[in-house]
Amino acid sequence: MRYSYATHLECSLTSQRYDIAKLQGLSAENKPLLARYDLAALRREVARDEIAARPSGLWRWHELLPVPAPSYIVSLGEVETPLVPLANSERPSGFRPPLVKDEARLPTGSFKARGLAVAVSMARVHGVRRVAIPTNGNAGAAMAAYAAQAGMEAFCFCPDDTPEINLSEIALQGASVWRVNGLINDCARLVEAGKSQFDWFDMSTLKEPYRIEGKKTMGLELAVQRQWQLPDVVFYPTGGGTGLIGMWKAWAELAELGWISGALPRLVAVQASGCAPIVRAFDSGASTATPWENAHTLAAGIRVPAALGDFLILRALRESGGFACAVTDESIDAARREVGAADGLLMSPEGAATYAAYLQAARSGRIGANDEVVLFNCASGLKYPMPRVSERMDVQRPFEGGIHRRPGAR
Ligand SMILES: Cc1ncc(COP(=O)(O)O)c(C=O)c1O
């Protein structure tokens, strides 16, 4: 039995093979490289129940991850995240409560920990000493944390209006961080341009092959958490799309292993109406997306005007029978308030966008009452600006009422 069954890397466009033993970025066609595994051997040598019997968490999936030996693992305790039912939040009558996969419980408070735990571990395998990333915040925070663990130098380039907490957590975790007066794609250009001069390894979404492998574990977890039966529909807040592509890859691997049966979930890419390149491309039948002009949304993590893996996102949506939809910032804000007050789950704006999209899809008939739905809350709501509380009391005076009622309470 091997620790990892990874065999090689493959260009996502041409399927050309690349050596996994070497440090790799993009393929010769400038497309993402995907890790491939000897699934036939894994199927013969390991039973799914063996994996299910291990302590939960990301590394229980080591055969389906690229890290060649446990000694390379850089870890901060990547727990399995729970599925929390939204029993009280509004939903159309007759619909089942959607489940929220609450990624806020991971180290650094977001799902970016999954991708960067694996990517930094693989960077360690290849002797990388210095890493750089363009980031809307959470990915930089996760990279800074894992780089600190691994003793690597970290450089993060963030759009000007990245949430304040993200900038501070990156700095406190020992990385160098800059605000850039541009968007994430402008930050990506800075990282690219600095590669030869500063000798850093580019950790941008999909520009190295392993963040997607870490994100893939969201899809693997969903399977084991639900006794190898996948839900009907998955709503995912889509920026660069690594998680969405990763989950589709995970389910393809599980299906090939014979560990899951039945239909795969329909994938729904959720974007903000102020930055919805994937929605526009999906609706027009295009196989790639054109960059979105003047991108804006309060959900910073999904403000990605152009995604390198656009063709992979669109392919996954279509193969799964899913769709893409956009929600307004107002509906994201309302969703965040509703789920917080009714179910006690403080979502990130990106996570709240999936609940807003769920309501939209349920009301318009794009999903059915009997569908089992999973929404992804990809980061802790505590990382984002929250409403100010202005009520004050004079300690010398008795409390005279003014009770705030939660939505739906009688
Ligand atoms: C909270 C949050 N949700 C969603 C996303 C989008 O993730 P992906 O790049 O996998 O599409 C991000 C990315 O920054 C994020 O921080």
Side-chain angles (χ1 to χ4, degrees), residues 111-112 138 215 236-243 301-302 348 350 378-379 384:
F111 70 158
K112 298 286 180 184
N138 289 321
K215 286 270 199 90
Y236 184 81
T238 305
T242 336
I302 52 175
S348 61
E350 297 82 0
C378 294
Y384 299 82

Side-chain angles (χ1 to χ4, degrees), residues 315-336:
R315 194 188 295 165
L317 296 179
R318 294 196 174 107
E319 284 177 2
S320 76
F323 55 93
C325 65
V327 292
T328 62
D329 275 9
E330 293 70 39
S331 68
I332 292 175
D333 194 45
R336 198 168 176 225

